[in-house]
Amino acid sequence: MQKKRILTGDRPTGPLHLGHYVGSLANRVKLQTEYDEFIIIADIQALTTNFDHPERLKEDVFNVCLDYLGVGIDPNLATIFIQSQVPEIAELTIFYSMFVPVSILRYNPTIKSEAKQYGYDAKGMTYGFLGYPVSQAADITFCRANLVPVGADQVPHIELTRKIVRRFNELYAPVLVEPEALVGSIPRLVGLDGNAKMSKSLGNCIYLSDSPEVVAKRVNTAVTDPARIHANDPGHPEVCNVFTYQKAFNVKFIPELEKNCRAGTIGCVPCKKTLVAAINELLDPIRERRKKYETDPDSVTQILLQGTKRAHEEAKKTMALVRDAMKINYYK
Ligand code: TRP
């Protein structure tokens, strides 16, 4: 039996961090054996906010690929590819955009909250930013993906993709595959400051490429239970940000840490030390694999080229079906 196909990916806007690992990368490593996994490095989508710095993309694409390989995405199992090098995605985006009402995009809750985050008002909002969910529908449908593993914030985009597929199939001919979202059950890892999700602009991340020393330094800045002033004050793990990290990275010590924290028999400093050790234990093999590829950059380029070639072949097949369905195949 043929494996079901998955498509998922990231915008290359900087190095990937622990939040990406917990929220999606670990799951991708798990899913790559059971599914035919396509992973898009969405460089055009990165331009929705970084259009003034296209010169960064090449390096960012390369580094995201290094992070993927580091965490254990196996290029023999998964297809890693670059969005801008598959022009059929742009072509599909244009065709879809003819029948997607602008009002649907304006009401998309993820677009609304990102617009707020980037300070775009109704006037400053670009056509490309407002329309990127249409382009994302093309990312998903060009390879006829069945499943899209994503975080909860991406669900409105998958819902739109499903609408686009149904509308296309009904308007022209039933050639597109309707995908389903596979929403991760793990809550998003908040930043070290405890306020928001990990984000480069807030400086509250631990990157997969950070050294052990940097990890220790970063964890030491993390906020803990604000009621704990002295090391022997009883702690409240349920409100402690470091404790949520412990739950993600140090499961085996949780009962002991919780008991000692509540009793005031372990202070925040030693508690953080165990967290640093656990994170570094997780990152060590990732660093090692990453380094291997880093010292052989040509192999990374080859992986990107190979993956993109395969994606391009799939895109050509879908595009032929789409053109036939729309009867834009005049001289065939
Ligand atoms: N929008 C996604 C993000 O910001 C990245 C992305 C682009 C994506 N194309 C996709 C995710 C297709 C899933 C499917 O993280």
Side-chain angles (χ1 to χ4, degrees), residues 149-162:
V150 281
D153 63 322
Q154 298 292 305
V155 169
H157 301 342
I158 315 305
E159 282 307 310
L160 176 69
T161 304
R162 290 164 63 86

Side-chain angles (χ1 to χ4, degrees), residues 106-133:
R106 286 231 172 93
Y107 289 122
N108 179 309
T110 300
I111 288 285
K112 285 207 290 197
S113 71
E114 286 178 354
K116 205 162 151 194
Q117 180 189 341
Y118 298 119
Y120 299 156
D121 56 11
K123 271 198 188 140
M125 171 99 72
T126 63
Y127 174 60
F129 177 80
L130 182 67
Y132 91 72

Side-chain angles (χ1 to χ4, degrees), residues 56-97:
R56 285 186 198 152
L57 286 176
K58 187 178 179 194
E59 198 185 327
D60 283 343
V61 165
F62 186 85
N63 284 327
V64 165
C65 188
L66 264 184
D67 282 333
Y68 287 164
L69 297 166
V71 297
I73 305 262
D74 177 347
N76 295 313
L77 295 172
T79 303
I80 303 172
F81 70 100
I82 306 171
Q83 186 186 31
S84 66
Q85 307 305 304
V86 182
E88 287 77 6
I89 294 177
E91 215 175 338
L92 276 177
T93 305
I94 292 285
F95 287 158
Y96 296 165
S97 72

Side-chain angles (χ1 to χ4, degrees), residues 5-9 36-40 78-81 142-143 307 310-312 314:
R5 188 164 288 173
I6 275 184
L7 181 125
T8 185
D36 182 13
E37 187 167 76
F38 278 65
I39 305 180
I40 188 169
T79 303
I80 303 172
F81 70 100
F142 90 86
C143 66
R310 176 162 186 239
H312 198 192
E314 290 301 309

Side-chain angles (χ1 to χ4, degrees), residues 215-252:
V215 169
K217 216 155 83 195
R218 307 290 301 141
V219 169
N220 284 335
T221 69
V223 296
T224 56
D225 172 6
R228 279 194 102 185
I229 316 241
H230 309 290
N232 54 358
D233 289 341
H236 308 86
E238 65 281 3
V239 300
C240 177
N241 192 33
V242 166
F243 195 71
T244 61
Y245 275 66
Q246 296 282 23
K247 280 195 281 194
F249 301 106
N250 218 357
V251 192
K252 59 178 190 278

Side-chain angles (χ1 to χ4, degrees), residues 7-11 40 42 45 132 136 139-140 148 150 154:
L7 181 125
T8 185
D10 300 278
R11 295 178 194 178
I40 188 169
Q45 193 177 110
Y132 91 72
Q136 191 157 325
D139 297 343
I140 295 166
V148 191
V150 281
Q154 298 292 305

